[in-house]
Amino acid sequence: MEKQVIDPSIKSIPIEIEPPKQADHGDFATNFCLVASKTAKTNPRALAETLLPAILAISQNRHPHVGGDPALENQGSLNSSLPAGEGKGWGINTQNIGNPETSPLLSAEIAGPGFINFRLNPAWAAQFLTEVLENPTTFYKPKNDNPQTINVEFVSVNPNGPITIGSGRGAAFGSALCNVLEAAGNTVHREYYINDGVNSEQMRLFAESVKAIIEGRPVPDNGYKGDYVHKTANSISTLLNFANVNSERAGDIFLKFVQDFINATDLSEYPEMPIAAEKLLGLAEKLKQADALSSDHSELELIRYFAEGSMVRSQSDDLRVFQTNFDTWFSEQSLHDSGLVEQELQHLLASNVADDAPTRTKVVFAKGGIIKEVLKEGQPIDGDVENVEGFPPQDWGGQGGVESPPLRFNGEGDQGGEVSQSTSSTIWLRSTKFGDDQDRVLKRADGRLTYIASDVAYHKDKFNRPANADKLITVLGPDHHGYIARLTAVVAAMFSDQVAPLVNPEPLTEHEALIYTSIAERNQCQAALAWAKDHLEVQIFQIVRFLKDGKPAPMRKRDGNIYALIDLINEIGETLKPDGTTEEKQQAGSDVARFFYLMRHHDTAMDFDLELATKQSDENPVFYVQYAHARICSVIDKAIEEGISLPIGEGLREGSLEYLHLLTHPKELALILKICDLQNEIARTAEDYSVNRLTTYAIELARTYHSFYDSCRVIQPDQPELSQARLALCEATRTALQAALELLGVSAPNRMDRAERPT
RNA sequence: GCGCUCGUAGCUCAGCGGAUAGAGCACCAGCUUGCGGAGCUGGGGGUCGGAGGUUCGAAUCCUCUCGAGCGCGCCA
């Protein structure tokens, strides 16, 4: 036969190798010939027939090993652990290849329109187990050629109530995402943003609600009414009574209490402590001032500090139970106190992306993000503030000039004061220059700063955690969808003076002329926007609808109809482990809730059936997975009792893995391949953040094991070599299961209590 | 109006442009003188909302359309 010449340009086409859905199509298949046929200027089948023998020349005598084939190294993670095809001949008929002990492949064949199907040599594939057993904590971590430092902010609810089951989804997703990003070789910083700015209307309302309860008045309209509000009010009430009766000593006593508490706490494990402690210490200082309680104003501050501090504490306690931990709890107010907000505001003004001109630009977009209309609105001189609910505040001083914030712990930290201290002009962020649909207020005419102003400083500061962070990921709830554009605009505006402008000599369009003053400005701003989109990724998780008695249950903090995450955890735990310790109950509850949240893609709405989660929770797939783990542990224990050695970790004995080639059963091969696949799943998850993939993987791995277990008896005293090989497979499976569950934040129990079966 | 998301088995949902679209629950029939039966094996069940388009090939990508959910504050 004549030697075929293949167009060399097909070298640039990526090779994809996947396990086919049909088992009789082999263990792996590649569609390369289908993809490359056009480039190669031939039909797929002919290309396959030419290519197969050409591939053969690469590796006639491969040694069995696990790891990358240099020829395939750059083609993707799964592929790198696969062998290259080798053999003679081609055609529809299966070709047997190499010798049965060491050849990677049993066969390779051309099928269908031009697929090449590979059948692995199980004995060769089993060598992968050596890798697993020798490196149980790293075998599943994919190679990462471009490791990044990433700040991930998630949960970040207001300190005015417990973590709800709604926020629970963000906690589960965010924490699991961090785990996966880390496993994929990145450096991750977990961050919680405490919305404790003294300007916050919501927090003021919260404090006023607590105060009303203390004083026996009805809470304000739209105020907070839940049980926890009363609980907080009661403890403050006790404190206040004590302080009033014994004001000269109350502060000292409370101060000592707080300090003892702090001293007894390992701060490295409780990163939120400085914030909560700061608030509580502030409260103690207040109590020490004899006249502190004389004015209504101060008492509200005091109540607010206590309420916020205790809420932050209880939130962090609940999250810790939920296997959700943070490196940094960041206080919004600290940005004001340190002057960073004012500093960044000046920066924006200096960069000409913010000003106090009395107009606002609004952009109307047509479908596809095309600008349809640009409107310039004049700013009402009066009345714009009064339209806002609750304004002007009667008894609450804001910052920036009306009054100083009530307490200071970080020295001066006042508002700087170069911009209008207390009067007249609203300061606008010209966010329409950065793709937002309207300009945003940074500073109100009365001098108070908006939430966006904090955001500017916050996002700049965030890039320091980790140092010189490559990327910020912010996980937000479904009600924050409209926030993406302005947040991106904020980041773009902040760095607008630091990026290279686009090169675009096109004159300004009619619309652009209303937004930008020059071509240069447009090119600068659009470059900044591109930079921002590149460095800030907002991940929205969709709504969780809670079903109680089959009907949607409303979930609002303010009307008290609230369902706390910790209550859900406790209820599930109570059902599952009625005789367990609190810790055991919460572990079980957390496991079920986390798995439940993580089973669905974060960006799709999900129903959370409260009956199912609490009452019928043994139907939850998490038990299926955990049962597989417990079962393996049991088998291993039993095997060791029977004198079968298990080669793991430091006890790895030379030669003890020499029988792995006996693992030739189809179920054994399937299990080995599934374990091998974990690395690939993690790599993909780190790319597209679809953490739910790992729950699916865990279920499939468990199923593959159960199926193997049913077909292949592990402990067979008359076949010690096979037993040992299968035991190694069991341990490798256990290791992979444990790794997957750990990433999900779900425990991998060594044993599980049998459920009581109704008779 | 604009934006985001979803529509796949009776129900809840998986599904990386590939070959005959999968799992759990529910239903039916089996499996243990053997390592945990919370398990395994098999079966019935589908116009992947609809219509076009791109492609050798579409549940997957594009456009349109129908239906459902959510979001668009000088709130945070």
Side-chain angles (χ1 to χ4, degrees), chain A residues 2 93 213 229 297 397 429 431 470 482 485 496 574 578 625-626 680:
Chain A
E2 251 181 80
N93 296 326
I213 292 170
V229 188
H297 184 120
L429 174 65
S431 53
D470 296 313
S496 62
E574 192 61 47
V625 178
Q626 289 181 321
N680 185 43

Side-chain angles (χ1 to χ4, degrees), chain A residues 10 13-22 25-37 44-45 47-49 51-52 55 72 75 78-79 82-86 105 107-119:
Chain A
I10 67 168
I13 298 172
I15 301 170
E16 291 173 23
I17 300 179
E18 307 184 309
K21 288 171 185 168
Q22 290 291 117
H25 291 146
D27 298 313
F28 291 96
T30 182
N31 61 356
F32 179 77
C33 298
L34 293 166
V35 175
S37 62
R45 192 125 189 142
L47 179 61
E49 292 180 1
L51 214 49
L52 198 52
I55 295 169
L72 296 170
Q75 306 295 357
L78 176 60
N79 316 348
L82 292 180
E86 177 65 47
L105 290 181
S107 69
E109 64 186 28
I110 300 169
F115 292 101
I116 299 177
N117 293 342
F118 303 100
R119 209 165 286 278

Side-chain angles (χ1 to χ4, degrees), chain A residues 224-279:
Chain A
Y224 292 75
K225 297 164 185 160
D227 286 348
Y228 71 93
V229 188
H230 286 86
K231 227 178 263 180
T232 308
N234 285 341
S235 48
I236 295 176
S237 187
T238 307
L239 199 62
L240 289 177
N241 287 337
F242 183 57
N244 280 328
V245 170
N246 201 354
S247 61
E248 76 277 13
R249 286 201 57 230
D252 287 330
I253 291 171
F254 191 67
L255 189 60
K256 184 170 186 310
F257 169 78
V258 173
Q259 281 169 341
D260 286 350
F261 182 63
I262 294 169
N263 292 340
T265 306
D266 179 355
L267 288 183
S268 66
E269 286 181 24
Y270 295 85
E272 79 284 4
M273 267 308 293
I275 306 295
E278 186 173 282
K279 290 185 182 302

Side-chain angles (χ1 to χ4, degrees), chain A residues 600-636:
Chain A
R600 283 157 188 80
H601 192 279
H602 65 277
D603 203 15
T604 46
M606 66 173 273
D607 284 343
F608 200 123
D609 189 329
L610 297 168
E611 309 293 327
L612 185 70
T614 53
K615 288 180 186 166
Q616 304 174 336
S617 46
D618 31 329
E619 287 176 16
N620 193 302
V622 69
F623 298 114
Y624 182 80
V625 178
Q626 289 181 321
Y627 176 72
H629 187 267
R631 191 181 220 187
I632 294 171
C633 291
S634 171
V635 171
I636 291 173

Side-chain angles (χ1 to χ4, degrees), chain A residues 170-193:
Chain A
F173 171 66
S175 55
L177 176 62
C178 288
N179 296 341
V180 172
L181 291 173
E182 246 169 14
N186 304 293
T187 302
V188 175
H189 194 91
R190 296 159 171 84
E191 183 146 330
Y192 187 117
Y193 186 56

